[in-house]
Amino acid sequence: MHEDDQTMTEEPGNGTLEREAQEWLLRLTSGRATSADADALRRWCSRSSAHAQAFAEANLLWEGLGPVAQGMAKSSALAQAKSARMPALRRRAFLGGSMAASIVAAGYLVARPPLNAWPSAYELAADYRTKIGERQRIAIENGVSIDLNTRTSLNVRHQGDEQRVELISGEAAITVAQTLSRRLTVSSAGGLIHGSDAQFDVRCDGSRTTVTCHRGSVGIDYSGQSVSLGEGRQISYADGGFGSERMIDATVVMAWREGHLVFRGTPLSEVVEEINRYRSGRIVLMNEALGKRRVEARIPLDHVDDLIALVREAYGARVTSLPGGVLILS
Protein backbone atom coordinates (compact mmCIF):
# COMPACT_ATOMS: atom_id res chain seq x y z
CA MET A 1 0.00 0.00 0.00
CA HIS A 2 1.36 3.45 -0.94
CA GLU A 3 0.36 6.76 0.49
CA ASP A 4 -0.54 8.12 -2.93
CA ASP A 5 -3.05 5.30 -3.31
CA GLN A 6 -4.86 6.48 -0.17
CA THR A 7 -5.46 10.13 -1.20
CA MET A 8 -9.01 11.16 -0.43
CA THR A 9 -10.95 14.35 -1.01
CA GLU A 10 -12.77 14.15 2.33
CA GLU A 11 -12.21 12.74 5.77
CA PRO A 12 -12.90 8.98 5.62
CA GLY A 13 -15.22 7.28 8.07
CA ASN A 14 -14.01 5.37 11.11
CA GLY A 15 -14.39 2.03 9.36
CA THR A 16 -12.21 3.15 6.46
CA LEU A 17 -9.52 4.51 8.78
CA GLU A 18 -9.49 1.32 10.82
CA ARG A 19 -9.12 -0.82 7.72
CA GLU A 20 -6.33 1.36 6.33
CA ALA A 21 -4.51 1.37 9.69
CA GLN A 22 -4.70 -2.42 9.83
CA GLU A 23 -3.37 -2.64 6.27
CA TRP A 24 -0.46 -0.43 7.26
CA LEU A 25 0.34 -2.75 10.15
CA LEU A 26 0.20 -5.77 7.86
CA ARG A 27 2.69 -4.03 5.59
CA LEU A 28 4.91 -2.92 8.47
CA THR A 29 5.17 -6.44 9.92
CA SER A 30 5.40 -8.30 6.60
CA GLY A 31 9.20 -8.23 6.49
CA ARG A 32 9.10 -6.39 3.15
CA ALA A 33 8.61 -2.84 4.42
CA THR A 34 11.05 -0.18 3.27
CA SER A 35 12.14 3.22 4.54
CA ALA A 36 9.85 4.76 1.91
CA ASP A 37 6.95 2.82 3.43
CA ALA A 38 7.85 4.17 6.86
CA ASP A 39 7.85 7.73 5.52
CA ALA A 40 4.53 7.18 3.78
CA LEU A 41 3.03 5.77 6.97
CA ARG A 42 4.30 8.73 9.00
CA ARG A 43 2.63 11.10 6.49
CA TRP A 44 -0.58 9.06 6.65
CA CYS A 45 -0.63 9.31 10.46
CA SER A 46 0.00 13.07 10.31
CA ARG A 47 -3.06 13.75 8.13
CA SER A 48 -5.28 14.15 11.17
CA SER A 49 -5.64 13.17 14.81
CA ALA A 50 -8.16 10.55 13.68
CA HIS A 51 -5.54 8.92 11.44
CA ALA A 52 -2.99 8.86 14.27
CA GLN A 53 -5.55 7.46 16.71
CA ALA A 54 -6.63 4.75 14.25
CA PHE A 55 -3.04 3.57 13.85
CA ALA A 56 -2.38 3.66 17.60
CA GLU A 57 -5.50 1.57 18.26
CA ALA A 58 -4.67 -0.86 15.45
CA ASN A 59 -1.21 -1.32 16.95
CA LEU A 60 -2.68 -2.08 20.38
CA LEU A 61 -5.05 -4.56 18.78
CA TRP A 62 -2.12 -6.10 16.91
CA GLU A 63 -0.36 -6.59 20.24
CA GLY A 64 -3.27 -8.82 21.22
CA LEU A 65 -4.18 -10.47 17.95
CA GLY A 66 -0.90 -10.27 16.05
CA PRO A 67 -0.59 -13.97 15.12
CA VAL A 68 -4.14 -14.02 13.75
CA ALA A 69 -3.49 -10.92 11.67
CA GLN A 70 -0.17 -12.29 10.45
CA GLY A 71 -1.84 -15.50 9.36
CA MET A 72 -4.37 -13.49 7.40
CA ALA A 73 -1.60 -11.41 5.88
CA LYS A 74 0.04 -14.55 4.49
CA SER A 75 -3.11 -15.77 2.78
CA SER A 76 -3.34 -15.13 -0.93
CA ALA A 77 -6.93 -14.09 -0.52
CA LEU A 78 -5.87 -11.10 1.55
CA ALA A 79 -3.65 -9.88 -1.25
CA GLN A 80 -6.17 -10.54 -4.00
CA ALA A 81 -9.65 -9.86 -2.66
CA LYS A 82 -11.22 -7.17 -0.51
CA SER A 83 -13.45 -9.73 1.11
CA ALA A 84 -10.46 -11.41 2.73
CA ARG A 85 -9.16 -8.27 4.41
CA MET A 86 -8.98 -8.16 8.19
CA PRO A 87 -12.41 -7.06 9.39
CA ALA A 88 -12.46 -3.60 10.92
CA LEU A 89 -13.27 -3.57 14.61
CA ARG A 90 -15.26 -0.60 15.85
CA ARG A 91 -13.60 1.61 18.46
CA ARG A 92 -16.33 0.93 20.95
CA ALA A 93 -15.65 -2.83 20.68
CA PHE A 94 -11.91 -2.27 21.01
CA LEU A 95 -12.10 0.12 23.95
CA GLY A 96 -15.13 -1.31 25.70
CA GLY A 97 -15.28 -4.03 28.33
CA SER A 98 -16.82 -6.44 25.84
CA MET A 99 -13.53 -6.81 23.90
CA ALA A 100 -12.42 -9.94 25.77
CA ALA A 101 -15.79 -11.59 25.21
CA SER A 102 -15.63 -10.70 21.52
CA ILE A 103 -12.18 -12.29 21.23
CA VAL A 104 -13.34 -15.47 22.93
CA ALA A 105 -16.44 -15.68 20.80
CA ALA A 106 -14.31 -15.33 17.68
CA GLY A 107 -12.16 -18.25 18.79
CA TYR A 108 -8.97 -16.24 19.08
CA LEU A 109 -8.30 -16.94 22.76
CA VAL A 110 -6.80 -20.39 22.31
CA ALA A 111 -4.82 -22.37 24.88
CA ARG A 112 -1.42 -21.30 23.52
CA PRO A 113 -1.51 -18.64 20.78
CA PRO A 114 1.00 -18.91 17.91
CA LEU A 115 4.36 -17.28 18.70
CA ASN A 116 3.10 -16.54 22.23
CA ALA A 117 2.56 -12.95 21.12
CA TRP A 118 -0.41 -12.38 23.40
CA PRO A 119 -1.55 -13.87 26.73
CA SER A 120 -3.49 -17.12 26.51
CA ALA A 121 -6.46 -17.89 28.73
CA TYR A 122 -4.16 -20.14 30.78
CA GLU A 123 -1.63 -17.34 31.25
CA LEU A 124 -4.32 -14.87 32.28
CA ALA A 125 -5.59 -17.31 34.93
CA ALA A 126 -2.12 -17.98 36.41
CA ASP A 127 -1.48 -17.65 40.15
CA TYR A 128 1.09 -14.96 39.42
CA ARG A 129 1.40 -12.84 36.31
CA THR A 130 3.46 -9.77 35.41
CA LYS A 131 2.57 -7.27 32.71
CA ILE A 132 4.82 -5.47 30.24
CA GLY A 133 7.80 -3.98 32.04
CA GLU A 134 6.66 -5.29 35.42
CA ARG A 135 8.70 -7.41 37.82
CA GLN A 136 7.60 -9.18 40.98
CA ARG A 137 9.28 -11.09 43.82
CA ILE A 138 7.43 -13.85 45.65
CA ALA A 139 8.36 -16.21 48.48
CA ILE A 140 6.47 -19.47 48.12
CA GLU A 141 8.02 -21.29 51.07
CA ASN A 142 10.82 -20.92 53.60
CA GLY A 143 14.01 -21.18 51.61
CA VAL A 144 12.47 -20.55 48.16
CA SER A 145 12.10 -17.17 46.48
CA ILE A 146 11.17 -16.39 42.90
CA ASP A 147 11.69 -13.22 40.85
CA LEU A 148 9.31 -12.85 37.90
CA ASN A 149 10.47 -10.89 34.88
CA THR A 150 8.30 -8.99 32.40
CA ARG A 151 5.32 -10.78 30.76
CA THR A 152 5.61 -13.85 32.96
CA SER A 153 2.89 -16.25 34.10
CA LEU A 154 3.50 -18.82 36.83
CA ASN A 155 1.56 -21.31 38.94
CA VAL A 156 2.47 -22.74 42.35
CA ARG A 157 1.19 -26.18 43.38
CA HIS A 158 1.69 -28.48 46.37
CA GLN A 159 1.83 -32.18 45.51
CA GLY A 160 2.52 -34.30 48.58
CA ASP A 161 6.13 -33.83 49.59
CA GLU A 162 6.88 -31.85 46.43
CA GLN A 163 6.52 -28.14 45.73
CA ARG A 164 5.75 -27.67 42.03
CA VAL A 165 6.28 -24.38 40.21
CA GLU A 166 4.92 -24.21 36.67
CA LEU A 167 6.42 -21.55 34.42
CA ILE A 168 3.75 -21.05 31.77
CA SER A 169 5.58 -18.30 29.91
CA GLY A 170 8.20 -15.64 30.47
CA GLU A 171 11.19 -15.76 32.79
CA ALA A 172 11.81 -16.52 36.45
CA ALA A 173 14.92 -16.44 38.63
CA ILE A 174 14.67 -19.01 41.43
CA THR A 175 16.70 -19.17 44.63
CA VAL A 176 16.54 -22.42 46.61
CA ALA A 177 18.00 -22.99 50.07
CA GLN A 178 19.85 -26.18 50.93
CA THR A 179 17.27 -27.39 53.42
CA LEU A 180 13.65 -27.52 52.25
CA SER A 181 10.61 -29.01 53.89
CA ARG A 182 9.58 -30.34 50.50
CA ARG A 183 11.38 -30.86 47.20
CA LEU A 184 11.10 -28.07 44.62
CA THR A 185 10.46 -28.90 40.96
CA VAL A 186 10.03 -26.31 38.21
CA SER A 187 8.13 -27.41 35.11
CA SER A 188 8.44 -25.55 31.82
CA ALA A 189 7.41 -26.61 28.31
CA GLY A 190 7.45 -30.32 29.12
CA GLY A 191 10.68 -30.31 31.10
CA LEU A 192 11.35 -30.61 34.84
CA ILE A 193 14.06 -28.60 36.59
CA HIS A 194 15.13 -29.22 40.18
CA GLY A 195 17.91 -28.18 42.50
CA SER A 196 18.80 -27.43 46.11
CA ASP A 197 21.11 -24.76 47.49
CA ALA A 198 21.09 -23.22 44.03
CA GLN A 199 20.12 -20.13 42.09
CA PHE A 200 19.04 -20.45 38.49
CA ASP A 201 17.11 -18.69 35.74
CA VAL A 202 14.40 -20.34 33.63
CA ARG A 203 13.07 -18.65 30.49
CA CYS A 204 10.18 -20.08 28.49
CA ASP A 205 9.62 -18.79 24.95
CA GLY A 206 6.79 -20.88 23.55
CA SER A 207 8.02 -24.48 23.26
CA ARG A 208 11.64 -23.53 23.97
CA THR A 209 13.05 -23.28 27.49
CA THR A 210 16.49 -21.97 28.45
CA VAL A 211 18.00 -22.74 31.87
CA THR A 212 20.97 -20.82 33.29
CA CYS A 213 22.68 -21.90 36.49
CA HIS A 214 24.07 -19.01 38.51
CA ARG A 215 25.02 -20.87 41.70
CA GLY A 216 25.14 -24.52 42.72
CA SER A 217 23.80 -27.05 40.23
CA VAL A 218 20.44 -28.03 38.77
CA GLY A 219 19.10 -31.18 37.17
CA ILE A 220 16.89 -31.13 34.08
CA ASP A 221 14.67 -33.96 32.85
CA TYR A 222 13.20 -33.63 29.37
CA SER A 223 11.85 -36.07 26.81
CA GLY A 224 13.44 -39.10 28.51
CA GLN A 225 16.83 -37.41 28.85
CA SER A 226 18.52 -35.93 31.91
CA VAL A 227 21.36 -33.43 32.26
CA SER A 228 23.11 -31.82 35.22
CA LEU A 229 23.91 -28.15 34.80
CA GLY A 230 26.76 -26.62 36.77
CA GLU A 231 27.50 -23.08 37.84
CA GLY A 232 27.98 -20.63 34.98
CA ARG A 233 26.44 -23.03 32.42
CA GLN A 234 23.39 -22.68 30.21
CA ILE A 235 21.35 -25.08 28.10
CA SER A 236 18.11 -24.98 26.10
CA TYR A 237 15.62 -27.66 25.20
CA ALA A 238 12.84 -27.85 22.62
CA ASP A 239 11.34 -30.21 20.05
CA GLY A 240 12.21 -33.31 22.08
CA GLY A 241 15.91 -32.63 22.58
CA PHE A 242 18.58 -30.59 24.32
CA GLY A 243 20.80 -28.04 22.65
CA SER A 244 24.51 -27.70 23.31
CA GLU A 245 25.55 -26.78 26.84
CA ARG A 246 27.56 -23.58 26.94
CA MET A 247 29.48 -21.38 29.35
CA ILE A 248 27.68 -18.15 30.18
CA ASP A 249 28.06 -15.13 32.40
CA ALA A 250 24.99 -15.71 34.53
CA THR A 251 25.20 -12.21 36.02
CA VAL A 252 24.50 -10.84 32.54
CA VAL A 253 21.56 -13.19 32.00
CA MET A 254 20.07 -12.28 35.38
CA ALA A 255 20.88 -8.56 35.34
CA TRP A 256 17.17 -7.85 34.91
CA ARG A 257 16.73 -8.72 38.61
CA GLU A 258 18.75 -5.61 39.42
CA GLY A 259 16.80 -3.50 36.94
CA HIS A 260 19.16 -3.58 33.96
CA LEU A 261 19.69 -5.29 30.63
CA VAL A 262 23.34 -5.97 29.80
CA PHE A 263 24.57 -6.62 26.26
CA ARG A 264 28.12 -7.66 25.44
CA GLY A 265 28.88 -7.85 21.75
CA THR A 266 25.24 -8.73 21.02
CA PRO A 267 23.91 -8.17 17.45
CA LEU A 268 21.53 -5.22 17.38
CA SER A 269 18.79 -7.42 15.90
CA GLU A 270 18.87 -9.55 19.06
CA VAL A 271 19.02 -6.47 21.28
CA VAL A 272 15.89 -5.05 19.63
CA GLU A 273 14.09 -8.37 20.07
CA GLU A 274 14.96 -8.36 23.77
CA ILE A 275 14.05 -4.71 24.33
CA ASN A 276 10.64 -5.31 22.76
CA ARG A 277 9.79 -7.63 25.67
CA TYR A 278 9.92 -4.67 28.04
CA ARG A 279 7.92 -2.01 26.19
CA SER A 280 4.50 -1.42 24.70
CA GLY A 281 4.33 -1.07 20.95
CA ARG A 282 7.38 -2.31 19.07
CA ILE A 283 10.72 -1.36 17.63
CA VAL A 284 10.99 -2.44 14.02
CA LEU A 285 14.48 -2.88 12.54
CA MET A 286 14.43 -2.35 8.79
CA ASN A 287 18.16 -2.36 8.01
CA GLU A 288 19.81 -5.78 7.81
CA ALA A 289 23.36 -4.40 7.96
CA LEU A 290 22.44 -2.31 10.99
CA GLY A 291 21.00 -5.39 12.67
CA LYS A 292 24.42 -7.08 12.52
CA ARG A 293 26.19 -4.29 14.40
CA ARG A 294 27.46 -5.39 17.82
CA VAL A 295 26.16 -3.65 20.92
CA GLU A 296 27.95 -3.09 24.23
CA ALA A 297 25.48 -1.51 26.62
CA ARG A 298 23.90 -1.50 30.06
CA ILE A 299 20.33 -0.23 29.80
CA PRO A 300 18.00 0.50 32.75
CA LEU A 301 14.70 -1.36 32.49
CA ASP A 302 12.77 1.81 33.25
CA HIS A 303 14.51 3.56 30.34
CA VAL A 304 14.66 0.85 27.66
CA ASP A 305 14.15 3.42 24.91
CA ASP A 306 17.64 4.70 25.73
CA LEU A 307 18.62 2.11 23.16
CA ILE A 308 17.16 4.36 20.46
CA ALA A 309 19.43 7.27 21.37
CA LEU A 310 22.39 4.88 21.49
CA VAL A 311 21.70 3.49 18.02
CA ARG A 312 21.10 6.94 16.58
CA GLU A 313 24.28 8.43 18.03
CA ALA A 314 26.62 5.45 17.70
CA TYR A 315 25.51 4.09 14.33
CA GLY A 316 23.84 7.06 12.67
CA ALA A 317 20.57 5.18 12.40
CA ARG A 318 17.44 6.95 11.27
CA VAL A 319 14.54 6.75 13.73
CA THR A 320 10.91 7.23 12.70
CA SER A 321 8.32 7.52 15.47
CA LEU A 322 4.75 6.42 14.84
CA PRO A 323 1.64 6.31 17.03
CA GLY A 324 1.13 3.39 19.40
CA GLY A 325 4.76 3.23 20.55
CA VAL A 326 6.07 2.06 17.15
CA LEU A 327 9.65 3.09 16.35
CA ILE A 328 11.29 2.25 13.04
CA LEU A 329 15.06 1.97 12.81
CA SER A 330 16.57 2.26 9.34
Side-chain angles (χ1 to χ4, degrees):
M1 180 175 66
H2 298 286
E3 191 223 8
D4 294 342
D5 297 334
Q6 301 299 322
T7 301
M8 300 177 186
T9 58
E10 58 183 21
E11 184 72 16
N14 285 348
T16 299
L17 284 180
E18 289 167 351
R19 186 182 68 252
E20 291 178 6
Q22 291 161 2
E23 290 173 348
W24 275 117
L25 273 173
L26 291 177
R27 177 64 177 169
L28 182 65
T29 57
S30 68
R32 300 185 301 273
T34 65
S35 296
D37 291 322
D39 289 339
L41 175 54
R42 178 177 50 79
R43 291 193 295 270
W44 185 89
C45 290
S46 66
R47 288 184 177 183
S48 71
S49 59
H51 284 75
Q53 182 178 353
F55 183 77
E57 291 175 357
N59 180 59
L60 288 174
L61 179 61
W62 188 270
E63 285 289 300
L65 304 181
V68 176
Q70 291 172 24
M72 296 177 69
K74 293 178 181 178
S75 68
S76 58
L78 177 66
Q80 299 176 5
K82 284 186 177 181
S83 61
R85 288 178 179 172
M86 188 193 313
L89 298 180
R90 297 293 179 220
R91 253 178 213 92
R92 63 179 178 271
F94 178 76
L95 297 175
S98 63
M99 183 58 184
S102 300
I103 296 172
V104 174
Y108 294 150
L109 199 56
V110 295
R112 183 170 294 279
L115 305 180
N116 292 292
W118 54 286
S120 68
Y122 194 37
E123 289 171 314
L124 292 172
D127 295 338
Y128 301 93
R129 179 171 178 263
T130 54
K131 301 177 182 178
I132 297 173
E134 182 182 11
R135 287 172 290 143
Q136 182 180 4
R137 175 168 293 179
I138 59 176
I140 61 172
E141 186 175 282
N142 290 336
V144 178
S145 65
I146 302 176
D147 290 292
L148 306 183
N149 201 358
T150 181
R151 305 190 193 205
T152 296
S153 295
L154 178 143
N155 285 327
V156 177
R157 299 288 184 265
H158 300 282
Q159 299 179 353
D161 61 352
E162 180 182 69
Q163 183 93 324
R164 176 69 65 92
V165 172
E166 178 190 13
L167 181 62
I168 303 170
S169 63
E171 184 174 19
I174 301 167
T175 302
V176 186
Q178 185 174 16
T179 303
L180 297 176
S181 58
R182 52 177 105 210
R183 182 189 184 196
L184 177 75
T185 298
V186 180
S187 65
S188 175
L192 299 177
I193 305 122
H194 44 84
S196 62
D197 193 21
Q199 186 177 64
F200 54 97
D201 184 276
V202 183
R203 177 166 169 174
C204 180
D205 298 304
S207 61
R208 180 183 181 85
T209 291
T210 300
V211 182
T212 305
C213 183
H214 182 261
R215 178 177 57 80
S217 63
V218 295
I220 308 171
D221 302 319
Y222 176 68
S223 191
Q225 307 170 63
S226 297
V227 301
S228 180
L229 197 65
E231 193 169 298
R233 310 290 291 184
Q234 183 184 81
I235 198 168
S236 298
Y237 61 80
D239 302 323
F242 284 96
S244 299
E245 184 177 324
R246 52 196 172 275
M247 294 186 65
I248 196 78
D249 187 342
T251 59
V252 171
V253 174
M254 300 172 71
W256 60 267
R257 297 175 67 243
E258 309 302 327
H260 291 85
L261 292 177
V262 177
F263 302 103
R264 295 180 178 172
T266 308
L268 179 60
S269 58
E270 296 180 18
V271 173
V272 167
E273 183 179 350
E274 184 68 11
I275 290 291
N276 275 333
R277 297 175 62 212
Y278 296 86
R279 66 187 304 276
S280 299
R282 66 179 55 78
I283 301 172
V284 181
L285 183 61
M286 301 176 64
N287 184 319
E288 184 176 353
L290 182 62
K292 295 178 180 178
R293 299 292 295 270
R294 298 283 173 169
V295 175
E296 295 279 344
R298 181 182 177 88
I299 300 174
L301 288 180
D302 53 356
H303 291 89
V304 290
D305 278 356
D306 285 357
L307 170 73
I308 305 304
L310 171 66
V311 173
R312 182 193 290 117
E313 295 169 7
Y315 305 136
R318 179 182 178 188
V319 181
T320 303
S321 298
L322 297 170
V326 175
L327 297 173
I328 298 176
L329 299 182
S330 58

